[in-house]
């Protein structure tokens, strides 16, 4: 289970709901129902197609890090690639495996699921492509990102590429410290998403909870999202010994303008 992050909002909510309250990280087992209700329909096909333009067919397995429940992995598999999906959370992996069991034999054969930490992993294989979908690097602190870059370097085959989606961070305006919106779940249940900018202005504290005050259990999910700028990631990659090859902005599902920058990097001199 990941660290249980307490937010100011979660403290207030849990104090008011008493024994009904459950605090969990958004990728934990206790959050699985909420996560699926809000994310089940989230489509990674357009993102997978963007990655696919930079992956040679028959280039061997693609390594996807922080694969979650396979939002981008399954479309990559549908496109015919072989994918090794690495993920840290036991709950996310359990759902991933369930979805995989319902996939075709052909898709199942081309997918390997590995539990591991993207900031420190050691697989007995090198890959032509290592992929991280948009939003996933935002779960890592500055102190952990060098571990990601070093581990990726160790796992790239000669001439291989690191493909990293970086969400284009919205500029934070003064007075935008907190915001709240209601989100509909696929089940019909409604949730409140509360986002508070921490004083460092580089982290959003996220709290998601039922809009229905009498919900039992009253599951309060929390997360921290780093507001990373693409230029910062590029700088860090260069410091970690990568050269940038291409930078491609694209619009993810449901967006009318580009909200993700796809970075393609290679090991310097390789
Ligand atoms: C924003 S979600 C993205 C999931 C998936 N890639 C997608 O696009 O839907 C981030 C994922 O990173 C996983 N994660 C967090 N820290 C990790 C780590 N150190 N190593 C591997 N996965 C991690 C979380 O469990 C979660 O599944």
């Amino acid at each position: 289970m990941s660290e249980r992050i307490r937010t100011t909002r979660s403290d207030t909510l849990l104090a008011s709901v008493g024994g009904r309250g459950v605090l969990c990280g958004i990728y934990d087992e206790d959050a699985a129902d909420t996560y699926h209700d809000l994310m089940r329909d989230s489509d990674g096909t357009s993102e997978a197609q963007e990655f696919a333009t930079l992956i040679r067919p028959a280039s061997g397995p693609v390594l996807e890090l922080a694969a979650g429940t396979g939002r981008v992995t399954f479309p990559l598999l549908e496109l015919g690639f072989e994918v090794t999906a690495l993920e840290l959370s036991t709950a996310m992996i359990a759902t991933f495996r369930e979805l995989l069991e319902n996939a075709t034999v052909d898709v199942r054969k081309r997918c390997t699921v590995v539990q591991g930490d993207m900031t420190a992993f050691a697989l007995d294989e090198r890959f032509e492509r290592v992929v991280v979908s948009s939003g996933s690097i935002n779960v890592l602190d500055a102190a952990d990102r060098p571990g990601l870059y070093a581990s990726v370097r160790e796992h790239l085959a000669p001439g291989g590429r690191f493909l990293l989606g970086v969400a284009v961070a919205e500029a934070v305006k003064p007075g935008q410290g907190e915001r709240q919106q209601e989100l509909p779940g696929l089940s019909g249940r409604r949730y409140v998403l509360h986002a508070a900018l921490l004083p460092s202005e580089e982290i959003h504290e996220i709290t998601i909870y039922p809009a229905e005050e009498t919900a039992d259990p009253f599951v309060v999910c929390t997360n921290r999202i780093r507001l990373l700028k693409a230029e910062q990631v590029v700088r860090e990659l260069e410091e970690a010994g990568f050269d940038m090859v291409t930078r491609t902005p694209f619009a993810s599902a449901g967006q009318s303008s580009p909200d993700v920058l796809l970075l393609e990097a290679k090991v310097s001199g390789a």
Side-chain angles (χ1 to χ4, degrees), residues 27 35 39 64-72 86-89 92 116-119 133-136 139-140:
Y27 307 122
Y35 187 88
M39 296 294 290
E64 187 194 352
L65 303 176
T69 56
R71 186 184 64 94
V72 173
L86 181 141
E87 165 63 43
L88 184 62
S89 152
M92 302 295 271
D117 183 341
M118 66 174 147
T119 68
S133 77
S134 68
S136 292
V139 303
L140 297 179

Side-chain angles (χ1 to χ4, degrees), residues 105-224:
V105 176
D106 173 51
V107 161
R108 282 208 302 272
K109 273 202 314 218
R110 283 184 283 107
C111 186
T112 306
V113 184
V114 178
Q115 185 159 27
D117 183 341
M118 66 174 147
T119 68
F121 58 93
L123 304 178
D124 202 12
E125 191 177 353
R126 290 192 170 233
F127 300 83
E128 279 213 17
R129 296 293 182 267
V130 179
V131 167
V132 177
S133 77
S134 68
S136 292
I137 194 167
N138 304 69
V139 303
L140 297 179
D141 280 329
D144 291 327
R145 293 196 294 272
L148 167 71
Y149 307 137
S151 297
V152 170
R153 275 189 65 148
E154 286 302 306
H155 288 80
L156 277 177
R161 299 283 193 269
F162 181 24
L163 309 179
L164 177 62
V166 182
V168 180
E170 291 167 32
V172 178
K173 302 186 188 85
Q176 255 193 348
E178 275 186 55
R179 66 189 162 80
Q180 182 162 307
Q181 71 186 99
E182 248 192 59
L183 301 175
L186 270 186
S187 64
R189 286 196 295 271
R190 300 190 69 79
Y191 300 85
V192 178
L193 182 152
H194 179 269
L197 197 63
L198 290 191
S200 68
E201 302 223 333
E202 282 172 4
I203 292 184
H204 259 142
E205 266 190 355
I206 305 293
T207 312
I208 299 175
Y209 52 96
E212 179 60 63
E213 283 171 24
T214 56
D216 187 3
F218 192 90
V219 179
V220 180
C221 309
T222 59
N223 193 19
R224 284 210 171 93

